[in-house]
Amino acid sequence: MNRAVDNSSKTANQNASSVVRFRVSGDRALIAVYGDGIDPAINESVRRMSALIEAMRHPAIEAVVPSYCTLAVHYDPDQIDPAALSSLLGDLAAHAKEAAVPRAITVEIPICYGGEFGPDLDAVAAHNRLALEEIIRLHSGSSYRIYAIGFTPGFCYLGGLDPRLHTPRLATPRLQVPAGSVGIAGAQTGIYPQASPGGWQLIGRTPLSLFAPEREPPVCYRPGDSIRFRPIPAAAFLHLAREANR
């Protein structure tokens, strides 16, 4: 259950009229709200605050989880209470511009569109009244900012999908979506790093292993980075898949 905390702070990255709002989520998490909707500037504030909190290494803070416009801070309630934590975060916000954030990178993801790899590509094309080639051109022609990672390890929520590609989720989710599947749901596109249930419209698949717990780091991207999709034929998909499994 979420409830508001009677505390707020001006941020350095927003207008003077803007404030950080805080919500308590259960007995071990505080959610800092920096704005609304999908906005790169707001998300950059979230990213900078996340870096500041992690660098502080406060003994009461157990984890920070950035999202589109919010930052969930998990804490030990025996060491700090929500009011004190919100005050601490408010003070930190004044130093957001000073945060040393990791350099954002662009990760290129090869994707084979349509056929057995993208069983919903025809449906997306029909919904948007576009040719299959135009769907592929539009989808692979943009750079997508990673706003959040969640749902399953390595699943990235991407912004920047061309409005001409917006397509509703499936009416009935699939019980099993193959690992590497690339889908569209409403105004978002994303990649399933692992086989899992899912209701996104599947338009293609990558042969890359996007989440590998034995690898360091297990995921090759982080919030704030960008992804670009590179179309490949089925033969290249099979070749890259064999290489990845060696």
Side-chain angles (χ1 to χ4, degrees), residues 31-218:
I31 297 176
V33 183
Y34 294 91
D36 299 297
I38 301 176
D39 183 284
I42 294 173
N43 186 250
E44 188 62 20
S45 294
V46 172
R47 183 169 177 255
R48 288 185 172 277
M49 284 299 299
S50 177
L52 270 180
I53 296 168
E54 290 178 343
M56 183 175 55
R57 299 184 181 277
H58 195 289
I61 296 176
E62 299 173 337
V64 291
V65 183
S67 188
Y68 289 94
C69 56
T70 64
L71 184 64
V73 183
H74 297 262
Y75 64 91
D76 180 352
D78 290 331
Q79 299 189 57
I80 196 168
D81 60 39
L85 181 56
S86 62
S87 179
L88 174 64
L89 298 182
D91 291 341
L92 276 181
H95 304 283
K97 287 185 177 179
E98 304 166 15
V101 297
R103 182 178 65 87
I105 62 173
T106 297
V107 179
E108 185 180 84
I109 304 292
I111 169 176
C112 186
Y113 288 92
E116 64 177 297
F117 303 113
D120 301 319
L121 182 63
D122 288 342
V124 172
H127 175 81
N128 292 290
R129 300 180 181 179
L130 293 172
L132 297 181
E133 295 76 15
E134 184 68 358
I135 296 290
I136 295 170
R137 185 188 71 81
L138 291 172
H139 188 263
S140 62
S142 296
S143 180
Y144 302 94
R145 181 185 178 96
I146 301 175
Y147 280 86
I149 295 178
F151 169 56
T152 62
F155 187 101
C156 50
Y157 290 88
L158 305 174
L161 182 66
D162 192 297
R164 290 170 288 181
L165 298 180
H166 293 185
T167 309
R169 295 169 179 262
L170 295 174
T172 303
R174 291 181 171 91
L175 296 179
Q176 188 83 330
V177 172
S181 294
V182 177
I184 289 175
Q188 296 182 95
T189 187
I191 316 167
Y192 289 84
Q194 306 170 77
S196 67
W200 292 35
Q201 304 269 3
L202 305 183
I203 61 171
R205 195 186 309 167
T206 179
L208 301 186
S209 177
L210 298 180
F211 173 69
E214 72 281 0
R215 190 171 61 202
E216 184 55 43

